[in-house]
Amino acid sequence: MANSVKTPYPQDLVWPAHLRPFDPLDHSIQADPFPYYQWMRENAPVLRTKTSLGEAWFLSRYRDVVGVLRNHKVFSSELYDPKKAPQVLFMDDPDHMRLRAAVAHVFTPKAVARLEEKIRNLAEGYFRPLLSSGVAEFVESFATPLTIDTIASLLGLPLSEADQFRRWSQDWGSYSGRLSGNSPGSPTDESGTMAFVEYMAKALEKVPAEGDSILSSIVRARAEGKMTDQEAKFFSLVLFTAGHETTTILMANGMIQLAEAPHLLSRLRDNPRDVPAFAEELARYKPPIHRLRRITTQEVEVAGHTIPARSHVRLLIVSANHDPEKFPNPEVFDLNRDTGGHLGYGFGIHSCLGAWLARLEARIVFELVAKTVSKIELYPDPSSAVVPFTGGSMSASGPKFLTLRLTPA
Amino acid sequence: MKVQISDREGRHHSVVWEQGQSLMEVLRDCDMVLALCGGNCICGTCHVYVDAETFARLPARNDEELAQLEQMKGFRPEASRLSCQIPFLHAREGMSVVLAPNE
């Protein structure tokens, strides 16, 4: 294959004054990667980076990103030996499909719709104190407990250990990020993950095989020989963490959006039927996961660049969602937009299993907000400024803490 | 609108197809297909065989659908479709659909 285009490294390029040469491990870039991705999409749609973790190829245009996600045989998800920590996001078919098929029935639109009343009751219960106090931190006091309670009850786990679950989830994010060569990890990542795995092992021993929770489905699949013991433990853990971290960030991003564009809140109040369109445009505009990872199984050409076999490829789904070739006027948050094909929930065989659950949770929360709140403001006190999420697997982007002033309707 | 479905055990079901749904969505709501990729024409888990009359009336398979189907062991050139690629527009009262084997 002829290497027709020489792929630049960040230091080969002249970056505009407001940006530094792109560094994928830089926490300040992770806090707000949008301007970097826009510039890369326009000026270096295929970019190589070299860090202490090795080399990676970053793709930022919609058509290149979707092309990779379609081609899952050449762009493998198996970034590390699955025996080490079998995790469905980092497995190829048929193993990925085998695990996913065991629980897919729990996540269909029809199945998650049965949870609506339960989630709404939880949401109202957590939101009431925020509304009455007027000034409140949204992530830890609302979005995290709501999403943890929801996924814990779906899995069949007790709700009493939410704080512990949250810490372990962060450890797991760092651990899997480190194993897959995406982040340097953290001092507690392995010990926290192993404690979490042991917790799940015990939970799997306790749940009844005939129950309708996710863990019961996993116990049945294990008994039928469709899943090993190790896979069952890690799959339970992965479903749990995937079920709350990203949805939490999505909700928090939505509150920022409503604070910055008050006309959207009025529109949702007057037209509650627009809430699903709001949630979908939010997942396009500011998805909680901003990059996905793959590894090439053979040499392959992307947009005229030759990527060698065994190369780590990073897919900038945020950037793809802002590619004007796919979404005209991408920087406009537009409730009337056709969001079809956006990558906020991924694309292809690994696309988000819990997407319908996330959509349901987002709809319930923003319906509640539109009905009960007339004004949302970012709290102006600098000591309560928005704290961005950093570290972890380096793939999530959004607020870690978000203090808001809420005016009841 | 009702369509006739034969599941993988050979049982017959008469199922309602509502406006706005793709055939895959109808089958997914009945827990008959996994539709793992959510309708992106990639995973092949919504593979079905349609009756000859329906097959002739449907628009031809595009390159992506055909490429996916050709990889499947159960591919039948004269009947195989990915149900995610069949919108309500092409629904026909009484049409018969057979679920292809799981692969």
Side-chain angles (χ1 to χ4, degrees):
Chain A
M1 213 176 285
N3 192 351
S4 49
V5 185
K6 187 172 177 342
T7 310
Y9 287 95
Q11 61 272 23
D12 299 332
L13 300 163
V14 180
W15 294 74
H18 64 292
L19 304 177
R20 298 188 300 279
F22 178 68
D23 174 357
L25 298 183
D26 186 324
H27 283 203
S28 66
I29 294 176
Q30 184 190 11
D32 183 16
F34 291 83
Y36 283 87
Y37 294 166
Q38 180 182 354
W39 192 85
M40 285 156 64
R41 189 173 61 242
E42 289 165 3
N43 298 280
V46 182
L47 179 71
R48 291 179 84 164
T49 64
K50 195 181 229 167
T51 68
S52 55
L53 302 177
E55 293 221 6
W57 299 66
F58 282 76
L59 308 182
S60 46
R61 284 194 306 207
Y62 184 87
R63 64 181 127 119
D64 299 333
V65 171
V66 166
V68 166
L69 290 172
R70 278 192 179 287
N71 194 358
H72 50 89
K73 290 192 176 138
V74 171
F75 294 93
S76 159
S77 289
E78 226 163 87
L79 290 144
Y80 60 81
D81 180 1
K83 288 191 197 72
K84 190 155 176 75
Q87 118 89 306
V88 70
L89 292 175
F90 298 129
M91 284 182 181
D92 290 333
D93 284 346
D95 292 332
H96 152 260
M97 178 94 87
R98 174 171 53 81
L99 294 193
R100 197 166 160 151
V103 298
H105 63 281
V106 182
F107 293 101
T108 65
K110 200 172 156 190
V112 300
R114 290 194 280 267
L115 304 170
E116 176 157 356
E117 196 183 336
K118 183 172 196 169
I119 299 172
R120 181 167 290 115
N121 287 337
L122 285 170
E124 287 172 356
Y126 281 120
F127 201 60
R128 215 167 287 127
L130 266 71
L131 202 53
S132 55
S133 64
V135 174
E137 199 290 310
F138 182 81
V139 175
E140 284 213 324
S141 58
F142 178 78
T144 300
L146 173 62
T147 55
I148 284 191
D149 283 6
T150 301
I151 192 67
S153 87
L154 204 50
L155 279 160
L157 291 173
L159 304 182
S160 53
E161 301 176 57
D163 286 345
Q164 182 68 68
F165 289 155
R166 191 183 188 197
R167 283 195 293 278
W168 281 340
S169 299
Q170 287 164 357
D171 286 331
W172 163 245
S174 300
Y175 183 61
S176 69
R178 177 158 66 81
L179 289 184
S180 59
N182 202 42
S183 75
S186 74
T188 59
D189 63 7
E190 188 161 6
S191 58
T193 297
M194 293 311 149
F196 201 179
V197 170
E198 282 318 303
Y199 178 90
M200 285 298 179
K202 290 202 179 81
L204 285 166
E205 297 315 318
K206 284 186 204 148
V207 294
E210 67 279 9
D212 57 7
S213 72
I214 294 175
L215 291 192
S216 291
S217 297
I218 290 176
V219 166
R220 285 197 294 276
R222 187 177 60 182
E224 290 164 12
K226 293 177 182 163
M227 225 181 261
T228 66
D229 193 44
Q230 179 83 338
E231 286 171 343
K233 290 187 279 190
F234 273 91
F235 196 30
S236 305
L237 177 159
V238 168
L239 288 170
F240 180 81
T241 51
H244 74 88
E245 286 185 322
T246 47
T247 318
T248 293
I249 294 178
L250 184 73
M251 289 174 187
N253 281 341
M255 294 303 275
I256 294 177
Q257 198 62 35
L258 293 174
E260 290 175 346
H263 71 277
L264 289 173
L265 184 60
S266 324
R267 177 159 163 185
L268 297 186
R269 186 166 50 247
D270 296 341
N271 306 285
R273 285 180 164 194
D274 287 342
V275 169
F278 172 79
E280 209 60 33
E281 172 68 341
L282 181 63
R284 177 198 73 88
Y285 191 79
K286 227 173 229 188
I289 298 294
H290 59 124
R291 67 195 198 206
L292 301 176
R293 296 160 259 171
R294 295 291 185 269
I295 187 164
T296 53
T297 56
Q298 62 186 63
E299 184 180 278
V300 60
E301 190 177 310
V302 175
H305 297 254
T306 302
I307 304 181
R310 306 303 300 165
S311 296
H312 283 257
V313 179
R314 305 280 184 259
L315 308 170
L316 301 177
I317 57 173
V318 171
S319 173
N321 277 357
H322 286 252
D323 187 339
E325 196 177 286
K326 174 68 182 175
F327 301 104
N329 300 313
E331 305 313 323
V332 177
F333 191 101
D334 180 2
L335 296 191
N336 300 324
R337 171 189 300 284
D338 175 6
T339 52
H342 82 76
L343 309 181
Y345 294 106
F347 185 95
I349 61 166
H350 284 274
S351 67
C352 177
L353 177 63
W356 292 102
L357 178 61
R359 287 185 176 108
L360 175 65
E361 290 179 85
R363 175 168 66 75
I364 289 168
V365 166
F366 293 114
E367 279 173 359
L368 177 64
V369 168
K371 195 168 80 179
T372 58
V373 182
S374 66
K375 193 176 182 188
I376 302 170
E377 297 161 275
L378 301 180
Y379 195 58
D381 180 347
S383 67
S384 302
V386 178
V387 179
F389 187 94
T390 53
S393 68
M394 300 298 292
S395 293
S397 169
K400 189 175 182 191
F401 295 106
L402 173 64
T403 306
L404 299 170
R405 179 185 280 149
L406 304 172
T407 308
Chain B
M1 169 94 54
K2 285 204 160 176
V3 289
Q4 307 306 315
I5 313 289
S6 299
D7 67 23
R8 297 185 185 89
E9 281 74 47
R11 291 182 300 244
H12 297 282
H13 309 263
S14 183
V15 171
V16 177
W17 188 345
E18 286 172 13
Q19 191 151 11
Q21 287 184 304
S22 69
L23 178 57
M24 174 276 279
E25 289 169 324
V26 176
L27 299 173
R28 183 178 60 188
D29 282 355
C30 305
D31 290 328
M32 288 187 183
V33 298
L34 292 172
L36 290 186
C37 77
N40 289 325
C41 207
I42 296 178
C43 69
T45 55
C46 71
H47 180 193
V48 295
Y49 306 123
V50 297
D51 64 81
E53 190 186 338
T54 302
F55 189 84
R57 288 171 64 256
L58 288 172
R61 294 171 287 223
N62 64 22
D63 292 349
E64 285 158 358
E65 183 181 352
L66 193 57
Q68 177 61 42
L69 285 168
E70 282 174 345
Q71 293 176 35
M72 309 200 66
K73 290 192 207 88
F75 176 54
R76 290 192 206 152
E78 76 297 347
S80 283
R81 296 298 308 237
L82 293 180
S83 56
C84 66
Q85 302 303 303
I86 306 180
F88 182 77
L89 174 69
H90 302 298
R92 189 173 56 84
E93 188 72 40
M95 69 186 265
S96 108
V97 173
V98 178
L99 300 189
N102 278 324
E103 295 186 20

